[in-house]
Amino acid sequence: MEKRSAFEEVRSQRYPMMEASPHLLYREKTDRLMKWVLIALLPSVLASIIFFGLRSLLLYIISVATCLIVELLWFKLRRNSLPKDYSVVVTGVLLAMSLPASVPLWYPILGGTIGILVAKELFGGIGRNLLNPALTGRAVLRLVFVKEMSENVQPRPIFSLDGLDVVSSATPLMDAKAGIGLSGEQMLDSLTGLIAGKNAETAAILLLLGGLFLLYKKVITWQIPFSMLGTIILLAFFFGKGDPTIVFAHVFGGATMLGAFFMATDYSTSPTTPKGEIIYGICCGILLMLWRQFSSMPEGMTFILLIMNCFVPLIDHLIIPRVYGVKKS
C-alpha cells in the first residue's frame, strides 16, 4: 500500500480538518436544502401568526428583511455578489420564531444585525461561522433585555384588536422543574401550541412533523436530534422520578423541538461525522437538562447550543475519519 506524499503528511498535521469532507459542495445544493428547511418551518410559522396575530407577522418580516439588508450591504462593501442560498432567510425566520411576540419591533433588527454581521460574515460567511447566527442574535437580546425576552405570551385569535397578554403563571417547564406533573389539558396545549410561550416554539407537534420531514428528505440525519431527544428523555425520567408527564414537559415544552431539529443540526456549527454528531447530541441533551434543573432559568436551549458550537472543532479534531487506503496510526 502506497504511503501519502510529503505534502499530504504536512497538510494532515497542520490542517487535520481537511481530511473530513465538507457538508456542502455546490451552491445549488445549499439553495435546495435551505428551501426544504423553510418549507419544514412554514407550518409552525403560520401557526404562530394565527396564535399571536399581526405582531408575529411583523416580527418575521422585520427579521428576514434585516438579515437580507445586512448581508447585502456587507457584500456590497466587499464588492462581492450576494449568494442566493437562502441561508440568510432561514436565519431571519429562526430568530423571529424564538422571540416573544410582545417584544418591541426593533429587537429583530438588533438581533438580526448581530447574527449576520458578527456571528456569520466576520467569520467568512456560510460554512465558516463558529456560532449559529440566529442563536447568537437571540442570546445577545436575552442577556441585554432579560425581562422582555423572558416573557411568555398567551395565544390570541388571529389579528385580534386586543393587545397581547403576557402571563406570569408557571409554564410546563417550570412545573416540571418543581416536580409537578402536567394535566392532560396542559399536555394537549403543549402539542398544539395553545399555551403561553415564545413566537413559534409552542406548536411542538408542527415542529416535530417539520423535523421528520427534513429527515425524510435527507436534509438532516437522525444522529443529532435522536441522540439529543433520547438523552433528554432519560434524564427527564431520572429527575422527574419516573413521572411520564414531566418527561413529556421536557420533550415537548420550551424550545426542545425547535432546537433539536432545526438549530442543533445547522451544517456550519455541527460535527462533520456521524459519531461526532451522536456525541454532540448527547452533550446537548445533558447540558440542557442540567441547565433546566439547576439554573435560575427554566429554558436554556440558546446558551447550551452556543456552548456546544464552540466544542464542534474539538469533536471534529478527535473523531477524524480514516482516509481510504491509509492505515490509522
Side-chain angles (χ1 to χ4, degrees), residues 23-325:
H23 280 289
L24 305 177
L25 299 178
Y26 305 103
R27 181 176 298 173
E28 291 77 13
K29 187 175 182 180
T30 307
D31 170 78
R32 179 175 60 84
L33 293 176
M34 292 301 105
K35 285 181 179 178
W36 284 128
V37 173
L38 289 173
I39 291 173
L41 288 172
L42 184 59
S44 301
V45 170
L46 294 177
S48 65
I49 295 173
I50 293 173
F51 294 152
F52 300 110
L54 183 60
R55 189 84 179 185
S56 175
L57 178 61
L58 289 175
L59 285 178
Y60 288 114
I61 294 174
I62 295 172
S63 181
V64 172
T66 298
C67 292
L68 285 169
I69 292 171
V70 170
E71 184 155 286
L72 175 62
L73 292 176
W74 174 262
F75 277 86
K76 287 291 184 182
L77 181 65
R78 300 190 63 194
R79 298 181 180 179
N80 291 330
S81 58
L82 184 68
K84 299 178 181 179
D85 53 31
Y86 294 96
S87 64
V88 66
V89 179
V90 172
T91 297
V93 171
L94 288 175
L95 174 61
M97 292 178 75
S98 64
L99 298 177
S102 59
V103 298
L105 294 178
W106 56 268
Y107 275 34
I109 298 177
L110 178 60
T113 301
I114 293 173
I116 295 298
L117 190 59
V118 178
K120 181 180 179 182
E121 299 304 342
L122 290 181
F123 280 89
I126 184 173
R128 299 179 179 87
N129 50 294
L130 176 65
L131 303 176
N132 183 293
L135 289 173
T136 303
R138 187 189 188 280
V140 173
L141 292 174
R142 178 66 177 80
L143 291 173
V144 176
F145 308 106
V146 178
K147 179 180 180 298
E148 292 82 358
M149 289 293 294
S150 302
E151 292 175 341
N152 292 307
V153 183
Q154 186 69 36
R156 300 191 67 85
I158 184 170
F159 300 121
S160 172
L161 297 178
D162 298 328
L164 294 173
D165 289 336
V166 177
V167 298
S168 57
S169 58
T171 64
L173 282 181
M174 293 178 183
D175 288 339
K177 181 178 180 179
I180 302 173
L182 303 186
S183 65
E185 183 181 359
Q186 283 179 308
M187 290 191 289
L188 181 60
D189 288 345
S190 296
L191 284 176
T192 58
L194 296 175
I195 195 167
K198 306 302 185 288
N199 195 13
E201 292 180 354
T202 56
I205 189 65
L206 295 179
L207 291 169
L208 174 60
L209 292 175
L212 294 177
F213 172 78
L214 293 182
L215 287 170
Y216 171 73
K217 301 301 292 186
K218 298 182 179 180
V219 176
I220 62 175
T221 57
W222 63 267
Q223 282 86 352
I224 291 177
F226 284 11
S227 60
M228 184 174 175
L229 291 175
T231 303
I232 292 172
I233 290 172
L234 289 176
L235 291 180
F237 189 83
F238 172 77
F239 287 127
K241 299 179 180 179
D243 188 337
T245 65
I246 291 180
V247 176
F248 184 95
H250 283 290
V251 174
F252 294 101
T256 303
M257 288 298 163
L258 182 63
F261 285 103
F262 295 97
M263 290 182 168
T265 56
D266 175 44
Y267 287 107
S268 302
T269 58
S270 61
T272 58
T273 62
K275 289 182 181 178
E277 289 177 338
I278 292 175
I279 293 173
Y280 178 80
I282 292 173
C283 290
C284 286
I286 293 173
L287 283 180
L288 181 65
M289 289 304 300
L290 292 176
W291 186 290
R292 288 178 174 177
Q293 196 68 24
F294 299 109
S295 76
S296 59
M297 292 185 287
E299 178 60 276
M301 181 65 74
T302 296
F303 296 104
I304 66 100
L305 288 181
L306 288 176
I307 291 171
M308 286 307 303
N309 285 170
C310 297
F311 283 94
V312 167
L314 177 61
I315 295 173
D316 278 336
H317 175 72
L318 296 176
I319 305 178
I320 301 173
R322 185 174 68 88
V323 178
Y324 180 74

